[in-house]
Amino acid sequence: LAQGWTERLASALAELHPAEVAGLLEGMPPEPRRATWELVPEDQRGEVLAYVHDEARATLIDEMQPEELVEAAEQMDDEDLAEVLDVLPADLTETVLTALEEDHRRRIEAVLSYPEGTAGRLMSTDVISVRADVTLAVVLRWLRLHLRLPPHTDALMVVGDDGRYLGKLDMGTVVTGDPDSLVADVMEPAAELARAEATESELAALFERRDLISVAVLDAEDRLLGRITIDDVVDVIREEADRRLLKSAGLEEEEDLFAPVIPSARRRGVWLGINLVTVFLAAWVIGRFEDALEKIVALAVLMPVVASMGGIAGSQTLTLTIRGLALNQIADANLRWLLLKELGVGALNGLVWAALVALVAWLWFQSTGLAMVIAVAMMLNLLAAAFSGIAVPIILHRLGIDPALSGAVILTTVTDVVGFLSFLGLASLFLL
Amino acid sequence: LAQGWTERLASALAELHPAEVAGLLEGMPPEPRRATWELVPEDQRGEVLAYVHDEARATLIDEMQPEELVEAAEQMDDEDLAEVLDVLPADLTETVLTALEEDHRRRIEAVLSYPEGTAGRLMSTDVISVRADVTLAVVLRWLRLHLRLPPHTDALMVVGDDGRYLGKLDMGTVVTGDPDSLVADVMEPAAELARAEATESELAALFERRDLISVAVLDAEDRLLGRITIDDVVDVIREEADRRLLKSAGLEEEEDLFAPVIPSARRRGVWLGINLVTVFLAAWVIGRFEDALEKIVALAVLMPVVASMGGIAGSQTLTLTIRGLALNQIADANLRWLLLKELGVGALNGLVWAALVALVAWLWFQSTGLAMVIAVAMMLNLLAAAFSGIAVPIILHRLGIDPALSGAVILTTVTDVVGFLSFLGLASLFLL
């Protein structure tokens, strides 16, 4: 880059919000990403790093000296820093932790003691708590001593003498309530709360269901540990959706669009390998009917139609079932109804499209037998697709396997095998 | 349902949060859904309706008398009611609007005047605004006159004499600031804002990027119209993700898992019909090689392997490209780099898997020629998959078509056609 251009880029970067700088860096191939990262002011790097996704972040950290990393660490929130440290090599983590102030280090170590993906890891320890036996006037006076409240303080946490969480005091109540009333009388005692071990998905569901801004995080003894705010949960919701989408194509979460060729090829190869096994299974089924294929070449021409229509219909049912499972809408009580409904949809669409396919096959190859065989095979495959669109994800779910990852592969294997088997099998029986 | 059971269910429903009742109703087939809806107390139905998704909501509204609907309407937020009214038949909308209080009706009509999916439609008009030329002490005294603040009031909106928006006054500042300071001196003048015409996706991006809780909505003359809060945006984010997932299987957004058979079959049939056209295109390509297929039956057995591997590799690239487009990470500047990278990934995986497929083909059919043909065809198809995994979504995007909907169909058509064409074509050239 030319000198003048570099300066202009540097001053443009200084104007941007750290989240925007992060987005910009993620949208760059390795070389310009490295050059741009050098231009990000050192006192903003911590905040920018907090917004960059895992894989792209690793490429940025690789460029940094340990002392730069320490400086960035000092600018980060506890929960963001914990996330960064979690993926660093152990000796670098040690260097950074040792360089932090005693107090900061203790807080980080506390956050790091919870497993990734739990409330304990996501929470901020920067929380304002008040006692239940004081008046609102006292709370207001005391708040005024704070120069600034933590971001997104929609409520104060009320704790007892022993540090146990008692409830939540809405900021609106602090402001509009009678100054002489006691906190105990105006707080929400039964406010929502989260345990430190709660998973990210549980938190996301809680925030969504109850339209929350923040929630107290407690340990097993009801002691207040910290607070989780909606902005962290929004990230969780977005990442979950992202992960679901990427998984359905056999990609890893947080895959960096601009990762180099070799690691990308290796990661995606796994999925291609799994698919290779399933497609050879389908090829083996076809191979059982070499005799029929040799005699009636139209079978080879039409067989992908039967398999493909089953795959499409099955993946529609599969997608709805996976979503229903994620939303907890599927239980034993409604499973039979759902299965009958999907079989009904499969049968109805089977009839319509089988008739059309039979017509095209008849016009093309002038064979009534072939037309009838393909129609029956399509009906069978659409029913098999509806059945496995429900059965496959539910069985995977009960086995504790995420159906978003492997559901589609198993389903299309079923529809390919059933499609080829029914079409070529019926043809062997009735047309040879 | 037995009498005792009905009573127990009714009292259980009364205990639940409206969002939980909504989730429960969505997870029910038509019959029990209707019976349960009858048990929801009338004074909670409005709130429950606000949480139910479009299609399921329509089934509930069908069960309601106009007067019940009016009662429910009175309990709903402006933005939720506007959403419900938008899908009602015109005469019912009229009935409900006429029955509302003058003031309420005007607010709803204002919200309804903005197109669906814009900030104007999503905003709440329930917003507290203060003048810039008063002191914080005055603001505090004035707030105390309000018995309760609107939910999620993290900041007050500051407006000028003419109703123009000037900035945002953080509630934290109201509480901790010096009571004698003027609002004008302690407010954030350059706070984020949204125009009434902003789309839901723009809002979601703004809230995520800036970690906002609420944002002012302005008209073209900078007048304050209302306020959008994070809880509505969380719904938008979740719905967008949901839509993206459903679309990729050719399903409509908000598809009700428990919709009856006939409408479900009709909606899904559209997608099956589109797929039928593309799969017949592939069949037509195969049909061009009847001669080769008749002579070498192994071609029919192995051809799905070539097509399927291309489809899988292409959909990985497609998924990453669609995500990159959604995140605004793809521009002319990095397109060449990205294309070269994906071609590199395709070539590398092509080499590895073509070698393995060739080995299996050789072991199975004992033909060196066939093994070499399938290896070259697979290489070609994986390169075509990488190229179209980038080109297809980018072209669709530039044409203003959402690549999440039609990208996968077009892509698999390309990989099917290229797969069959290269494999059968090379076989015709070298093996006959």
Side-chain angles (χ1 to χ4, degrees):
Chain A
L1 300 176
Q3 185 58 34
W5 209 82
T6 309
E7 272 164 28
R8 263 194 291 165
L9 183 58
S11 71
L13 285 174
E15 296 279 299
L16 290 177
H17 190 272
E20 286 161 339
V21 177
L24 209 63
L25 289 166
E26 289 186 343
M28 288 178 170
E31 264 315 311
R33 184 187 281 174
R34 206 168 295 147
T36 310
W37 181 233
E38 292 297 318
L39 297 177
V40 175
E42 294 210 354
D43 59 352
Q44 285 181 19
R45 291 194 178 176
E47 275 196 86
V48 172
L49 275 185
Y51 282 102
V52 178
H53 288 94
D54 281 357
E55 193 179 332
R57 180 154 60 199
T59 66
L60 299 177
I61 290 177
D62 280 349
E63 300 295 311
M64 295 171 80
Q65 300 300 319
E67 51 278 20
E68 290 175 321
L69 207 54
V70 169
E71 198 186 325
E74 281 161 358
Q75 306 154 26
M76 295 168 90
D77 284 345
D78 299 355
E79 63 272 29
D80 294 326
L81 181 52
E83 211 186 310
V84 169
L85 290 179
D86 211 37
V87 293
L88 282 188
D91 56 330
L92 255 179
T93 306
E94 207 43 49
T95 311
V96 173
L97 277 179
T98 325
L100 292 179
E101 281 171 36
E102 170 86 19
D103 182 44
H104 196 179
R105 193 180 71 224
R106 277 230 195 96
R107 285 204 321 268
I108 299 294
E109 284 172 342
V111 171
L112 277 172
S113 72
Y114 296 99
E116 224 200 303
T118 61
R121 196 49 100 68
L122 206 62
M123 74 186 177
S124 157
T125 49
D126 188 11
V127 42
I128 298 190
S129 54
V130 295
R131 297 266 298 274
D133 53 3
V134 298
T135 62
L136 289 184
V138 171
V139 171
L140 260 175
R141 249 197 327 271
W142 183 75
L143 285 179
R144 206 157 282 149
L145 295 177
H146 270 76
L147 282 180
R148 84 167 241 301
L149 302 185
H152 308 332
T153 299
D154 65 318
L156 308 176
M157 304 303 171
V158 185
V159 292
D161 292 341
D162 47 0
R164 266 166 224 268
Y165 175 74
L166 298 175
K168 207 162 135 172
L169 178 63
D170 200 78
M171 281 296 282
T173 310
V174 174
V175 172
T176 62
D178 175 0
D180 295 328
S181 48
L182 280 179
V183 168
D185 298 330
V186 291
M187 71 179 191
E188 284 177 69
E192 305 296 331
L193 52 87
R195 296 288 162 186
E197 314 80 49
T199 65
E200 289 187 344
S201 330
E202 286 165 1
L203 288 172
L206 177 69
F207 271 79
E208 271 188 87
R209 208 166 52 224
R210 296 293 169 93
D211 292 341
L212 302 174
I213 298 295
S214 69
V215 97
V217 181
L218 310 189
D219 66 10
E221 278 84 41
D222 286 348
R223 274 187 303 260
L224 181 66
L225 297 173
R227 192 175 71 112
I228 288 177
T229 48
I230 181 77
D231 54 319
D232 297 313
V233 175
V234 166
D235 293 342
V236 167
I237 293 174
R238 179 66 89 184
E239 278 165 24
E240 273 193 353
D242 217 30
R243 206 176 302 159
R244 216 165 35 160
L245 190 78
L246 292 176
K247 249 187 206 165
S248 66
L251 295 164
E252 274 175 58
E253 54 174 309
E254 308 240 321
E255 169 109 15
D256 180 0
L257 189 59
F258 298 96
V261 170
I262 293 178
S264 297
R266 197 174 40 223
R267 274 194 305 250
R268 295 196 219 161
V270 177
W271 199 240
L272 288 165
I274 292 171
N275 180 65
L276 193 65
V277 176
T278 72
V279 74
F280 264 119
L281 180 66
W284 178 81
V285 171
I286 300 171
R288 299 295 85 199
F289 298 97
E290 283 193 12
D291 195 32
L293 287 165
E294 211 154 351
K295 287 186 187 122
I296 311 170
V297 80
L299 295 178
V301 176
L302 292 175
M303 67 185 186
V305 176
V306 180
S308 159
M309 292 293 279
I312 296 287
S315 70
Q316 291 183 328
T317 304
L318 178 79
T319 305
L320 283 177
T321 309
I322 291 175
R323 192 176 67 135
L325 286 169
L327 296 175
N328 268 322
Q329 289 182 351
I330 296 178
D332 286 338
N334 55 28
L335 201 53
R336 233 196 78 208
W337 192 95
L338 198 61
L339 192 59
L340 287 175
K341 175 212 157 189
E342 288 298 320
L343 287 174
V345 172
L348 207 58
N349 269 321
L351 276 175
V352 172
W353 299 108
L356 193 68
V357 167
L359 181 69
V360 175
W362 182 77
L363 288 173
W364 192 348
F365 295 101
Q366 308 287 336
S367 156
T368 319
L370 187 66
M372 282 176 64
V373 161
I374 200 170
V376 175
M378 264 208 47
M379 279 293 302
L380 289 176
N381 205 19
L382 259 65
L383 289 175
F387 180 79
S388 42
I390 291 192
V392 167
I394 285 180
I395 293 170
L396 288 174
H397 186 75
R398 298 223 169 141
L399 293 175
I401 301 167
D402 182 356
L405 178 60
S406 37
V409 188
I410 299 179
L411 180 100
T412 52
T413 307
V414 171
T415 52
D416 277 359
V417 168
V418 173
F420 295 135
L421 199 62
S422 58
F423 182 51
L424 300 176
L426 288 169
S428 301
L429 282 177
F430 297 105
L431 304 181
L432 290 192
Chain B
L1 301 174
Q3 186 57 34
W5 211 80
T6 310
E7 271 165 30
R8 263 194 290 167
L9 182 57
S11 71
L13 286 173
E15 297 279 299
L16 290 177
H17 191 274
E20 286 162 338
V21 177
L24 210 62
L25 289 167
E26 288 186 341
M28 286 180 172
E31 264 316 312
R33 187 187 282 174
R34 206 167 298 148
T36 310
W37 180 233
E38 292 297 319
L39 297 178
V40 176
E42 294 210 353
D43 59 351
Q44 283 182 22
R45 290 193 180 178
E47 276 196 86
V48 171
L49 275 184
Y51 282 102
V52 178
H53 289 92
D54 282 356
E55 193 180 331
R57 182 155 58 200
T59 66
L60 298 178
I61 289 177
D62 279 350
E63 300 296 312
M64 296 171 80
Q65 300 300 318
E67 51 278 21
E68 289 175 323
L69 207 52
V70 169
E71 197 186 325
E74 281 161 359
Q75 305 155 26
M76 294 168 92
D77 285 344
D78 298 355
E79 64 271 28
D80 293 327
L81 180 52
E83 213 185 307
V84 169
L85 290 179
D86 212 36
V87 293
L88 282 189
D91 55 331
L92 255 180
T93 307
E94 207 41 51
T95 312
V96 173
L97 277 179
T98 326
L100 293 179
E101 280 171 38
E102 170 85 22
D103 182 46
H104 196 180
R105 192 180 70 224
R106 276 228 197 97
R107 287 206 318 268
I108 298 294
E109 283 171 343
V111 171
L112 276 172
S113 73
Y114 295 98
E116 224 202 299
T118 62
R121 197 50 100 67
L122 206 61
M123 74 187 179
S124 158
T125 48
D126 187 12
V127 42
I128 298 189
S129 55
V130 295
R131 296 265 300 274
D133 53 4
V134 298
T135 61
L136 289 184
V138 171
V139 171
L140 259 176
R141 244 193 334 265
W142 183 75
L143 284 179
R144 207 155 284 151
L145 294 178
H146 271 76
L147 281 179
R148 84 168 241 300
L149 302 184
H152 307 333
T153 299
D154 65 317
L156 309 176
M157 303 302 171
V158 185
V159 292
D161 292 341
D162 49 0
R164 266 167 224 269
Y165 175 74
L166 298 175
K168 205 163 138 171
L169 178 64
D170 200 79
M171 281 294 283
T173 310
V174 174
V175 172
T176 62
D178 176 358
D180 296 329
S181 48
L182 280 179
V183 168
D185 297 331
V186 292
M187 71 178 190
E188 284 177 70
E192 307 297 332
L193 52 87
R195 296 287 163 188
E197 313 79 50
T199 65
E200 288 187 343
S201 330
E202 287 165 2
L203 288 172
L206 177 69
F207 271 80
E208 271 188 87
R209 209 165 52 225
R210 295 294 167 94
D211 291 343
L212 301 174
I213 296 297
S214 69
V215 95
V217 181
L218 310 189
D219 66 12
E221 279 83 42
D222 286 350
R223 276 188 301 262
L224 181 66
L225 296 173
R227 194 175 70 110
I228 288 176
T229 47
I230 181 78
D231 53 321
D232 296 313
V233 175
V234 165
D235 294 341
V236 167
I237 293 173
R238 178 66 86 183
E239 277 164 24
E240 273 193 350
D242 217 29
R243 208 176 299 159
R244 215 166 36 161
L245 190 77
L246 291 177
K247 250 187 203 164
S248 67
L251 296 165
E252 275 176 55
E253 51 174 310
E254 308 238 319
E255 170 110 12
D256 179 1
L257 188 60
F258 296 96
V261 170
I262 293 178
S264 297
R266 196 173 43 222
R267 276 193 305 251
R268 294 195 220 164
V270 177
W271 199 240
L272 288 165
I274 293 171
N275 181 66
L276 192 64
V277 175
T278 71
V279 75
F280 265 118
L281 180 66
W284 178 81
V285 171
I286 300 172
R288 301 295 84 200
F289 299 99
E290 285 195 8
D291 195 33
L293 287 165
E294 210 155 353
K295 287 187 187 122
I296 311 169
V297 77
L299 296 179
V301 175
L302 292 175
M303 67 185 188
V305 176
V306 181
S308 158
M309 292 294 278
I312 295 288
S315 69
Q316 291 183 328
T317 304
L318 177 80
T319 304
L320 282 177
T321 309
I322 290 176
R323 192 174 68 134
L325 286 169
L327 297 174
N328 266 322
Q329 289 182 352
I330 296 178
D332 286 338
N334 55 29
L335 201 52
R336 232 195 81 208
W337 191 94
L338 198 61
L339 192 59
L340 287 175
K341 175 212 155 188
E342 288 298 320
L343 287 174
V345 172
L348 207 58
N349 269 322
L351 277 175
V352 172
W353 299 110
L356 193 67
V357 167
L359 182 69
V360 176
W362 182 77
L363 289 173
W364 191 348
F365 295 100
Q366 308 289 339
S367 156
T368 319
L370 187 66
M372 283 175 64
V373 162
I374 200 168
V376 175
M378 265 211 44
M379 279 293 301
L380 290 176
N381 204 20
L382 259 65
L383 290 174
F387 179 80
S388 41
I390 290 192
V392 167
I394 284 180
I395 293 170
L396 288 173
H397 186 74
R398 297 220 171 143
L399 294 175
I401 300 169
D402 182 356
L405 178 60
S406 38
V409 188
I410 300 179
L411 179 101
T412 51
T413 307
V414 171
T415 51
D416 276 0
V417 167
V418 172
F420 294 136
L421 199 63
S422 59
F423 182 51
L424 300 177
L426 288 170
S428 302
L429 282 176
F430 298 106
L431 302 182
L432 288 192

